[in-house]
Amino acid sequence: MQELHDAPLAPLTTFRLGGPATRLITATTDAEVVAAVREADASGTPLLLIGGGSNLVIGDKGFDGTALRIATTGFELDGTSLELAAGEVWTDAVERTVRAGLAGVECLAGIPGSAGATPIQNVGAYGQEVSSTITEVIAYDRRAGETVTLTNAECAFSYRHSRFKADPERYVVLRVRFRLEDAKGLSAPLRYAETARALGVEPGERVPVEDARETVLKLRAGKGMVLDPDDHDTWSAGSFFTNPILTDADFAVFHARVRERLGDGVEPPAYPAGEGRTKTSAAWLIDKAGFTKGYGTGPARISTKHTLALTNRGDATTEDLLTLAREVVAGVREAFGVTLVNEPVTVGVAL
């Protein structure tokens, strides 16, 4: 277990932002993770968990406490059952399942970060969410002081949410178990219209699983959503805001604001999100509120490839990023009466 003091955290995040941690521990086994967590809890030391750093916004002052970088490894595939250590690189794990001809996570290719983060956020993209394939999550329960196994139902998954996100101080994910599908080399049924169009098929059809993965990677790269150290559009946390889910009453008010601002012929994106609820597009809201691709003049700007990504152009500070985020939130609220919610976890700062 490696230990450093006054350790820079910015290099451990995809934003490349944030100040140092008082102490940084890198754990490479589950036992080391648990030992570090127990030590911090016993001493009352603030604890920050870091996986791939793709969903973190750390304040410029850094973190006054112990940052624990989870660098565990483990990829165990038995038939269609997959177990991943929390520190496994997610996009590499997806590639290996696709090479094995298995379906279920192929449309989650290219998403940066670690496997242990996927159940926390209920990671999803291009018509798939990890909640549809996760069977169990093995985690250290800080309240009970023991390692527990949570079933899919016990994880309480919903859109970009879970039991772990609802109670972030309680659980430390150690391993994630999945049940994939052997569809004879074919993908799961395609549920995202853009992916189906790019593949020349109809939604609901299957394609070779490798074709689905490659198509998603190309779509993501075109939006700056595949990490590239030479491309500042990828110095981001991917989608900075979640897609708003509105009640029927709130959507009616929102719809009226759209007509008032943009004209009677404009229809906002609308997707069923459960009884009495409708999901709309954060990217559409941002764009129609006047924050187009490349918006900004400072070191933090909206991506030139996708309005939903806020980016570090190379010499930004976290405060630069938050100033831009606040401007976007205020502008969307003023234009449409909808308040955007940030997707990345903030440390020592808030919108």
Side-chain angles (χ1 to χ4, degrees):
M1 191 158 55
Q2 183 188 66
E3 182 174 329
L4 298 172
H5 294 269
D6 196 26
L9 295 181
L12 302 182
T13 74
T14 52
F15 264 124
R16 295 167 171 81
L17 295 175
T22 305
R23 183 172 69 149
L24 171 64
I25 293 175
T26 299
T28 57
T29 68
D30 290 354
E32 289 180 351
V33 172
V34 172
V37 174
R38 282 178 171 162
E39 179 196 24
D41 288 347
S43 63
T45 303
L47 182 67
L48 171 63
L49 303 176
I50 301 178
S54 61
N55 203 44
L56 278 179
V57 177
I58 299 173
D60 293 317
K61 293 182 179 180
F63 182 70
D64 185 13
T66 295
L68 173 58
R69 179 171 171 257
I70 299 176
T72 54
T73 57
F75 179 101
E76 298 177 22
L77 186 60
D78 182 10
T80 58
S81 297
L82 172 66
E83 181 177 296
L84 296 177
E88 281 288 327
V89 176
W90 173 251
T91 193
D92 292 348
V94 171
E95 181 181 7
R96 292 177 71 176
T97 67
V98 168
R99 284 207 309 264
L102 298 176
V105 294
E106 62 278 5
C107 291
L108 303 178
I111 294 176
S114 62
T118 60
I120 298 171
Q121 194 76 2
N122 186 16
V123 163
Y126 294 95
Q128 288 183 342
E129 289 182 331
V130 292
S131 58
S132 65
T133 52
I134 288 177
T135 56
E136 293 177 329
V137 174
I138 302 169
Y140 177 68
D141 183 341
R142 298 169 68 181
R143 189 176 302 165
E146 63 183 10
T147 298
V148 297
T149 300
L150 302 171
T151 65
N152 181 290
E154 290 172 328
C155 292
F157 290 121
S158 60
Y159 173 67
R160 300 297 176 270
H161 202 68
S162 70
R163 179 177 186 170
F164 311 105
K165 190 172 181 180
D167 195 357
E169 301 300 318
R170 180 169 181 178
Y171 296 101
V172 180
V173 175
L174 300 174
R175 295 184 172 265
V176 188
R177 291 172 177 161
F178 302 81
R179 175 74 67 187
L180 304 176
E181 180 186 7
D182 184 355
K184 309 302 180 185
L186 295 179
S187 69
L190 299 173
R191 304 192 183 283
Y192 200 71
E194 184 183 16
T195 314
R197 273 197 310 272
L199 284 157
V201 299
E202 293 295 320
E205 292 187 39
R206 297 176 184 260
V207 297
V209 67
E210 180 60 42
D211 290 356
R213 173 181 172 272
E214 288 297 325
T215 297
V216 165
L217 286 173
K218 289 177 182 177
L219 290 172
R220 289 185 65 86
K223 299 173 183 177
M225 298 291 185
V226 176
L227 293 180
D228 179 351
D230 296 323
D231 182 359
H232 285 287
D233 278 333
T234 73
W235 290 33
S236 75
S239 299
F240 195 87
F241 300 103
T242 58
N243 290 322
I245 296 178
L246 307 175
T247 65
D248 286 347
D250 287 340
F251 188 83
V253 173
F254 161 60
H255 196 205
R257 293 283 289 269
V258 170
R259 291 198 302 268
E260 178 184 336
R261 181 180 178 91
L262 303 176
D264 291 340
V266 177
E267 291 294 327
Y271 311 96
E275 186 174 354
R277 297 163 71 84
T278 301
K279 180 168 67 176
T280 192
S281 166
W284 187 91
L285 287 166
I286 292 167
D287 181 72
K288 298 304 181 185
F291 303 101
T292 54
K293 295 174 184 177
Y295 178 88
T297 57
R301 303 179 196 174
I302 291 177
S303 166
T304 66
K305 301 182 180 71
H306 200 301
T307 54
L308 203 47
L310 308 188
T311 68
N312 171 12
R313 306 317 293 183
D315 56 357
T317 65
T318 301
E319 190 55 37
D320 292 329
L321 176 75
L322 294 177
T323 297
L324 175 62
R326 291 169 187 138
E327 182 184 1
V328 171
V329 170
V332 168
R333 185 189 298 118
E334 181 181 357
F336 300 112
V338 176
T339 300
L340 295 177
V341 176
N342 54 292
E343 188 166 335
V345 174
T346 55
V347 178
V349 292
L351 286 188

Short mmCIF file of all heavy atoms in Angstrom, two decimals, residues 188-239:
data_model
loop_
_atom_site.label_atom_id
_atom_site.label_comp_id
_atom_site.label_asym_id
_atom_site.label_seq_id
_atom_site.Cartn_x
_atom_site.Cartn_y
_atom_site.Cartn_z
N ALA A 188 -27.09 -7.09 -27.39
CA ALA A 188 -28.43 -6.98 -26.84
C ALA A 188 -29.27 -6.17 -27.83
O ALA A 188 -28.72 -5.44 -28.67
CB ALA A 188 -28.38 -6.28 -25.48
N PRO A 189 -30.59 -6.27 -27.78
CA PRO A 189 -31.42 -5.45 -28.67
C PRO A 189 -31.08 -3.97 -28.51
O PRO A 189 -30.99 -3.46 -27.39
CB PRO A 189 -32.85 -5.75 -28.20
CG PRO A 189 -32.77 -7.12 -27.60
CD PRO A 189 -31.41 -7.18 -26.95
N LEU A 190 -30.86 -3.29 -29.62
CA LEU A 190 -30.48 -1.88 -29.60
C LEU A 190 -31.67 -1.02 -29.19
O LEU A 190 -32.72 -1.08 -29.80
CB LEU A 190 -29.96 -1.44 -30.96
CG LEU A 190 -28.71 -2.18 -31.46
CD1 LEU A 190 -28.39 -1.78 -32.89
CD2 LEU A 190 -27.51 -1.89 -30.55
N ARG A 191 -31.48 -0.22 -28.16
CA ARG A 191 -32.59 0.57 -27.62
C ARG A 191 -32.42 2.07 -27.86
O ARG A 191 -33.30 2.85 -27.49
CB ARG A 191 -32.74 0.30 -26.12
CG ARG A 191 -32.93 -1.17 -25.81
CD ARG A 191 -33.36 -1.40 -24.39
NE ARG A 191 -33.48 -2.82 -24.08
CZ ARG A 191 -34.48 -3.59 -24.45
NH1 ARG A 191 -35.47 -3.06 -25.16
NH2 ARG A 191 -34.51 -4.87 -24.14
N TYR A 192 -31.32 2.46 -28.48
CA TYR A 192 -31.05 3.88 -28.68
C TYR A 192 -31.10 4.17 -30.17
O TYR A 192 -30.38 3.57 -30.97
CB TYR A 192 -29.68 4.23 -28.11
CG TYR A 192 -29.47 5.68 -27.81
CD1 TYR A 192 -30.13 6.30 -26.75
CD2 TYR A 192 -28.61 6.45 -28.59
CE1 TYR A 192 -29.93 7.65 -26.46
CE2 TYR A 192 -28.40 7.81 -28.30
CZ TYR A 192 -29.07 8.39 -27.25
OH TYR A 192 -28.88 9.71 -26.97
N ALA A 193 -31.95 5.12 -30.54
CA ALA A 193 -32.20 5.37 -31.96
C ALA A 193 -30.94 5.78 -32.71
O ALA A 193 -30.72 5.35 -33.85
CB ALA A 193 -33.27 6.45 -32.11
N GLU A 194 -30.08 6.61 -32.09
CA GLU A 194 -28.87 7.07 -32.76
C GLU A 194 -27.94 5.91 -33.08
O GLU A 194 -27.34 5.84 -34.17
CB GLU A 194 -28.14 8.09 -31.89
CG GLU A 194 -26.91 8.69 -32.55
CD GLU A 194 -26.17 9.65 -31.65
OE1 GLU A 194 -26.41 9.63 -30.43
OE2 GLU A 194 -25.33 10.43 -32.16
N THR A 195 -27.81 4.96 -32.16
CA THR A 195 -26.96 3.79 -32.39
C THR A 195 -27.54 2.94 -33.51
O THR A 195 -26.80 2.48 -34.39
CB THR A 195 -26.85 2.95 -31.11
OG1 THR A 195 -26.60 3.80 -30.00
CG2 THR A 195 -25.75 1.92 -31.22
N ALA A 196 -28.84 2.70 -33.47
CA ALA A 196 -29.48 1.90 -34.52
C ALA A 196 -29.30 2.55 -35.88
O ALA A 196 -28.98 1.86 -36.88
CB ALA A 196 -30.96 1.72 -34.20
N ARG A 197 -29.50 3.88 -35.96
CA ARG A 197 -29.32 4.57 -37.24
C ARG A 197 -27.90 4.41 -37.75
O ARG A 197 -27.68 4.17 -38.94
CB ARG A 197 -29.63 6.07 -37.07
CG ARG A 197 -31.06 6.44 -37.24
CD ARG A 197 -31.22 7.93 -37.47
NE ARG A 197 -30.52 8.73 -36.48
CZ ARG A 197 -31.05 9.12 -35.33
NH1 ARG A 197 -32.28 8.76 -35.01
NH2 ARG A 197 -30.34 9.86 -34.49
N ALA A 198 -26.93 4.58 -36.86
CA ALA A 198 -25.53 4.48 -37.28
C ALA A 198 -25.19 3.10 -37.80
O ALA A 198 -24.31 2.94 -38.65
CB ALA A 198 -24.62 4.84 -36.12
N LEU A 199 -25.91 2.10 -37.32
CA LEU A 199 -25.67 0.71 -37.74
C LEU A 199 -26.59 0.29 -38.88
O LEU A 199 -26.48 -0.83 -39.38
CB LEU A 199 -25.86 -0.23 -36.55
CG LEU A 199 -24.70 -0.21 -35.54
CD1 LEU A 199 -25.16 -0.70 -34.17
CD2 LEU A 199 -23.54 -1.05 -36.05
N GLY A 200 -27.51 1.16 -39.28
CA GLY A 200 -28.39 0.86 -40.40
C GLY A 200 -29.46 -0.17 -40.08
O GLY A 200 -29.90 -0.89 -40.97
N VAL A 201 -29.89 -0.22 -38.80
CA VAL A 201 -30.93 -1.17 -38.41
C VAL A 201 -32.03 -0.41 -37.65
O VAL A 201 -31.90 0.78 -37.37
CB VAL A 201 -30.37 -2.30 -37.52
CG1 VAL A 201 -29.31 -3.10 -38.29
CG2 VAL A 201 -29.78 -1.75 -36.23
N GLU A 202 -33.07 -1.12 -37.30
CA GLU A 202 -34.16 -0.54 -36.54
C GLU A 202 -33.93 -0.77 -35.05
O GLU A 202 -33.33 -1.78 -34.67
CB GLU A 202 -35.50 -1.17 -36.95
CG GLU A 202 -35.93 -0.85 -38.38
CD GLU A 202 -36.20 0.63 -38.58
OE1 GLU A 202 -36.79 1.25 -37.67
OE2 GLU A 202 -35.82 1.16 -39.65
N PRO A 203 -34.41 0.15 -34.20
CA PRO A 203 -34.35 -0.10 -32.76
C PRO A 203 -35.00 -1.43 -32.41
O PRO A 203 -36.04 -1.79 -32.98
CB PRO A 203 -35.13 1.08 -32.17
CG PRO A 203 -34.96 2.17 -33.17
CD PRO A 203 -34.97 1.49 -34.50
N GLY A 204 -34.39 -2.16 -31.50
CA GLY A 204 -34.89 -3.48 -31.12
C GLY A 204 -34.17 -4.61 -31.81
O GLY A 204 -34.24 -5.76 -31.36
N GLU A 205 -33.46 -4.30 -32.90
CA GLU A 205 -32.70 -5.35 -33.59
C GLU A 205 -31.36 -5.57 -32.90
O GLU A 205 -30.87 -4.74 -32.13
CB GLU A 205 -32.47 -4.96 -35.06
CG GLU A 205 -33.74 -4.94 -35.90
CD GLU A 205 -33.43 -4.72 -37.38
OE1 GLU A 205 -32.42 -5.28 -37.86
OE2 GLU A 205 -34.19 -3.97 -38.02
N ARG A 206 -30.76 -6.72 -33.21
CA ARG A 206 -29.43 -7.06 -32.73
C ARG A 206 -28.43 -6.97 -33.88
O ARG A 206 -28.79 -7.16 -35.03
CB ARG A 206 -29.39 -8.48 -32.14
CG ARG A 206 -30.28 -8.71 -30.92
CD ARG A 206 -30.22 -10.17 -30.50
NE ARG A 206 -31.11 -10.49 -29.41
CZ ARG A 206 -30.74 -10.61 -28.12
NH1 ARG A 206 -29.46 -10.41 -27.80
NH2 ARG A 206 -31.61 -10.92 -27.19
N VAL A 207 -27.18 -6.72 -33.53
CA VAL A 207 -26.09 -6.68 -34.51
C VAL A 207 -24.91 -7.42 -33.88
O VAL A 207 -24.93 -7.73 -32.69
CB VAL A 207 -25.68 -5.22 -34.84
CG1 VAL A 207 -26.84 -4.47 -35.48
CG2 VAL A 207 -25.18 -4.49 -33.60
N PRO A 208 -23.88 -7.75 -34.66
CA PRO A 208 -22.69 -8.33 -34.03
C PRO A 208 -22.22 -7.45 -32.87
O PRO A 208 -22.15 -6.22 -33.00
CB PRO A 208 -21.68 -8.37 -35.18
CG PRO A 208 -22.52 -8.53 -36.40
CD PRO A 208 -23.74 -7.70 -36.13
N VAL A 209 -21.93 -8.07 -31.74
CA VAL A 209 -21.63 -7.32 -30.53
C VAL A 209 -20.43 -6.40 -30.71
O VAL A 209 -20.41 -5.28 -30.20
CB VAL A 209 -21.45 -8.28 -29.33
CG1 VAL A 209 -20.21 -9.14 -29.48
CG2 VAL A 209 -21.43 -7.51 -28.02
N GLU A 210 -19.44 -6.81 -31.49
CA GLU A 210 -18.27 -5.96 -31.73
C GLU A 210 -18.65 -4.74 -32.57
O GLU A 210 -18.12 -3.65 -32.35
CB GLU A 210 -17.17 -6.75 -32.44
CG GLU A 210 -15.90 -5.96 -32.74
CD GLU A 210 -15.22 -5.41 -31.49
OE1 GLU A 210 -15.14 -6.14 -30.49
OE2 GLU A 210 -14.80 -4.23 -31.51
N ASP A 211 -19.59 -4.91 -33.50
CA ASP A 211 -20.05 -3.77 -34.30
C ASP A 211 -20.74 -2.73 -33.41
O ASP A 211 -20.56 -1.52 -33.60
CB ASP A 211 -21.02 -4.23 -35.39
CG ASP A 211 -20.33 -5.04 -36.49
OD1 ASP A 211 -19.10 -5.17 -36.43
OD2 ASP A 211 -21.04 -5.54 -37.38
N ALA A 212 -21.53 -3.21 -32.46
CA ALA A 212 -22.20 -2.28 -31.55
C ALA A 212 -21.17 -1.50 -30.74
O ALA A 212 -21.27 -0.27 -30.61
CB ALA A 212 -23.14 -3.04 -30.62
N ARG A 213 -20.17 -2.20 -30.21
CA ARG A 213 -19.13 -1.52 -29.41
C ARG A 213 -18.39 -0.50 -30.25
O ARG A 213 -18.19 0.65 -29.83
CB ARG A 213 -18.16 -2.55 -28.84
CG ARG A 213 -16.96 -1.93 -28.13
CD ARG A 213 -16.00 -2.98 -27.60
NE ARG A 213 -14.77 -2.35 -27.12
CZ ARG A 213 -13.72 -2.08 -27.86
NH1 ARG A 213 -13.70 -2.40 -29.15
NH2 ARG A 213 -12.65 -1.49 -27.34
N GLU A 214 -17.95 -0.88 -31.44
CA GLU A 214 -17.18 0.04 -32.28
C GLU A 214 -18.00 1.26 -32.68
O GLU A 214 -17.48 2.38 -32.73
CB GLU A 214 -16.69 -0.70 -33.54
CG GLU A 214 -15.58 -1.70 -33.29
CD GLU A 214 -14.32 -1.04 -32.75
OE1 GLU A 214 -14.02 0.11 -33.16
OE2 GLU A 214 -13.64 -1.64 -31.90
N THR A 215 -19.28 1.06 -32.95
CA THR A 215 -20.14 2.18 -33.32
C THR A 215 -20.30 3.15 -32.17
O THR A 215 -20.23 4.38 -32.35
CB THR A 215 -21.51 1.66 -33.79
OG1 THR A 215 -21.32 0.86 -34.96
CG2 THR A 215 -22.46 2.80 -34.10
N VAL A 216 -20.51 2.63 -30.97
CA VAL A 216 -20.63 3.49 -29.79
C VAL A 216 -19.34 4.27 -29.56
O VAL A 216 -19.37 5.47 -29.25
CB VAL A 216 -21.02 2.65 -28.55
CG1 VAL A 216 -20.80 3.46 -27.27
CG2 VAL A 216 -22.47 2.21 -28.65
N LEU A 217 -18.20 3.61 -29.71
CA LEU A 217 -16.92 4.31 -29.53
C LEU A 217 -16.78 5.46 -30.53
O LEU A 217 -16.31 6.55 -30.16
CB LEU A 217 -15.76 3.33 -29.69
CG LEU A 217 -15.52 2.37 -28.52
CD1 LEU A 217 -14.45 1.35 -28.89
CD2 LEU A 217 -15.12 3.13 -27.26
N LYS A 218 -17.20 5.24 -31.77
CA LYS A 218 -17.13 6.30 -32.77
C LYS A 218 -18.08 7.45 -32.43
O LYS A 218 -17.73 8.63 -32.57
CB LYS A 218 -17.44 5.74 -34.16
CG LYS A 218 -16.35 4.82 -34.72
CD LYS A 218 -16.75 4.24 -36.05
CE LYS A 218 -15.68 3.28 -36.57
NZ LYS A 218 -16.10 2.63 -37.85
N LEU A 219 -19.29 7.10 -31.99
CA LEU A 219 -20.25 8.13 -31.62
C LEU A 219 -19.74 8.95 -30.43
O LEU A 219 -19.82 10.18 -30.42
CB LEU A 219 -21.60 7.50 -31.27
CG LEU A 219 -22.39 6.90 -32.44
CD1 LEU A 219 -23.60 6.13 -31.92
CD2 LEU A 219 -22.83 7.98 -33.42
N ARG A 220 -19.18 8.26 -29.45
CA ARG A 220 -18.66 8.95 -28.27
C ARG A 220 -17.47 9.84 -28.64
O ARG A 220 -17.36 10.97 -28.17
CB ARG A 220 -18.24 7.94 -27.20
CG ARG A 220 -19.40 7.23 -26.52
CD ARG A 220 -18.90 6.33 -25.39
NE ARG A 220 -18.31 7.14 -24.34
CZ ARG A 220 -18.98 7.70 -23.33
NH1 ARG A 220 -20.29 7.52 -23.24
NH2 ARG A 220 -18.37 8.42 -22.42
N ALA A 221 -16.57 9.30 -29.47
CA ALA A 221 -15.39 10.08 -29.86
C ALA A 221 -15.80 11.35 -30.61
O ALA A 221 -15.18 12.42 -30.44
CB ALA A 221 -14.47 9.23 -30.73
N GLY A 222 -16.85 11.26 -31.41
CA GLY A 222 -17.32 12.43 -32.14
C GLY A 222 -17.87 13.51 -31.23
O GLY A 222 -17.98 14.67 -31.64
N LYS A 223 -18.21 13.13 -30.00
CA LYS A 223 -18.73 14.09 -29.02
C LYS A 223 -17.68 14.43 -27.96
O LYS A 223 -18.00 15.08 -26.96
CB LYS A 223 -19.97 13.50 -28.34
CG LYS A 223 -21.11 13.20 -29.32
CD LYS A 223 -22.24 12.47 -28.63
CE LYS A 223 -23.34 12.11 -29.64
NZ LYS A 223 -24.44 11.34 -29.01
N GLY A 224 -16.45 13.97 -28.16
CA GLY A 224 -15.40 14.25 -27.19
C GLY A 224 -15.55 13.46 -25.91
O GLY A 224 -15.07 13.89 -24.85
N MET A 225 -16.19 12.30 -25.98
CA MET A 225 -16.49 11.52 -24.79
C MET A 225 -15.60 10.28 -24.64
O MET A 225 -15.92 9.38 -23.85
CB MET A 225 -17.97 11.09 -24.79
CG MET A 225 -18.95 12.24 -24.77
SD MET A 225 -18.92 13.12 -23.19
CE MET A 225 -20.26 14.28 -23.41
N VAL A 226 -14.52 10.22 -25.40
CA VAL A 226 -13.52 9.16 -25.23
C VAL A 226 -12.21 9.85 -24.87
O VAL A 226 -11.76 10.75 -25.58
CB VAL A 226 -13.35 8.31 -26.50
CG1 VAL A 226 -12.24 7.28 -26.31
CG2 VAL A 226 -14.66 7.60 -26.85
N LEU A 227 -11.61 9.45 -23.77
CA LEU A 227 -10.43 10.16 -23.26
C LEU A 227 -9.30 10.21 -24.27
O LEU A 227 -8.95 9.20 -24.88
CB LEU A 227 -9.93 9.50 -21.97
CG LEU A 227 -10.85 9.60 -20.76
CD1 LEU A 227 -10.21 8.91 -19.57
CD2 LEU A 227 -11.16 11.06 -20.43
N ASP A 228 -8.74 11.41 -24.46
CA ASP A 228 -7.60 11.64 -25.35
C ASP A 228 -6.79 12.78 -24.74
O ASP A 228 -7.26 13.92 -24.71
CB ASP A 228 -8.09 12.00 -26.75
CG ASP A 228 -6.94 12.27 -27.72
OD1 ASP A 228 -5.78 12.35 -27.27
OD2 ASP A 228 -7.21 12.41 -28.93
N PRO A 229 -5.59 12.51 -24.23
CA PRO A 229 -4.82 13.55 -23.55
C PRO A 229 -4.51 14.75 -24.43
O PRO A 229 -4.24 15.85 -23.92
CB PRO A 229 -3.54 12.84 -23.11
CG PRO A 229 -3.47 11.60 -23.97
CD PRO A 229 -4.88 11.22 -24.25
N ASP A 230 -4.55 14.57 -25.75
CA ASP A 230 -4.24 15.67 -26.66
C ASP A 230 -5.47 16.48 -27.07
O ASP A 230 -5.34 17.46 -27.80
CB ASP A 230 -3.54 15.13 -27.91
CG ASP A 230 -2.20 14.49 -27.59
OD1 ASP A 230 -1.50 15.01 -26.70
OD2 ASP A 230 -1.86 13.47 -28.22
N ASP A 231 -6.65 16.05 -26.62
CA ASP A 231 -7.89 16.71 -27.00
C ASP A 231 -8.54 17.30 -25.76
O ASP A 231 -9.08 16.59 -24.91
CB ASP A 231 -8.84 15.70 -27.66
CG ASP A 231 -10.14 16.32 -28.13
OD1 ASP A 231 -10.33 17.54 -27.94
OD2 ASP A 231 -10.97 15.58 -28.69
N HIS A 232 -8.51 18.64 -25.64
CA HIS A 232 -9.04 19.28 -24.45
C HIS A 232 -10.55 19.12 -24.32
O HIS A 232 -11.10 19.31 -23.23
CB HIS A 232 -8.67 20.76 -24.43
CG HIS A 232 -7.24 21.00 -24.08
ND1 HIS A 232 -6.75 20.84 -22.81
CD2 HIS A 232 -6.18 21.37 -24.83
CE1 HIS A 232 -5.46 21.10 -22.79
NE2 HIS A 232 -5.08 21.42 -24.01
N ASP A 233 -11.23 18.75 -25.38
CA ASP A 233 -12.65 18.46 -25.26
C ASP A 233 -12.91 17.25 -24.39
O ASP A 233 -14.04 17.05 -23.91
CB ASP A 233 -13.29 18.25 -26.65
CG ASP A 233 -13.63 19.56 -27.33
OD1 ASP A 233 -13.87 20.56 -26.62
OD2 ASP A 233 -13.63 19.60 -28.58
N THR A 234 -11.89 16.42 -24.17
CA THR A 234 -12.06 15.25 -23.32
C THR A 234 -11.54 15.49 -21.90
O THR A 234 -11.61 14.60 -21.06
CB THR A 234 -11.36 14.01 -23.92
OG1 THR A 234 -9.93 14.13 -23.78
CG2 THR A 234 -11.70 13.84 -25.39
N TRP A 235 -11.03 16.69 -21.64
CA TRP A 235 -10.63 17.05 -20.28
C TRP A 235 -11.89 17.48 -19.53
O TRP A 235 -12.12 18.66 -19.27
CB TRP A 235 -9.60 18.17 -20.30
CG TRP A 235 -8.24 17.77 -20.82
CD1 TRP A 235 -7.95 16.84 -21.78
CD2 TRP A 235 -6.98 18.31 -20.43
NE1 TRP A 235 -6.61 16.77 -22.01
CE2 TRP A 235 -5.97 17.66 -21.18
CE3 TRP A 235 -6.60 19.27 -19.50
CZ2 TRP A 235 -4.63 17.95 -21.05
CZ3 TRP A 235 -5.25 19.57 -19.37
CH2 TRP A 235 -4.28 18.90 -20.13
N SER A 236 -12.70 16.51 -19.22
CA SER A 236 -14.04 16.79 -18.70
C SER A 236 -14.47 15.62 -17.82
O SER A 236 -13.71 14.70 -17.57
CB SER A 236 -15.03 16.97 -19.85
OG SER A 236 -15.35 15.72 -20.44
N ALA A 237 -15.71 15.69 -17.38
CA ALA A 237 -16.32 14.56 -16.67
C ALA A 237 -17.43 13.96 -17.51
O ALA A 237 -18.39 13.40 -17.00
CB ALA A 237 -16.86 15.02 -15.32
N GLY A 238 -17.30 14.11 -18.84
CA GLY A 238 -18.38 13.65 -19.71
C GLY A 238 -19.58 14.56 -19.54
O GLY A 238 -19.45 15.79 -19.50
N SER A 239 -20.74 13.98 -19.41
CA SER A 239 -21.96 14.78 -19.23
C SER A 239 -21.92 15.44 -17.85
O SER A 239 -21.92 14.75 -16.83
CB SER A 239 -23.20 13.90 -19.35
OG SER A 239 -23.25 13.31 -20.63
#
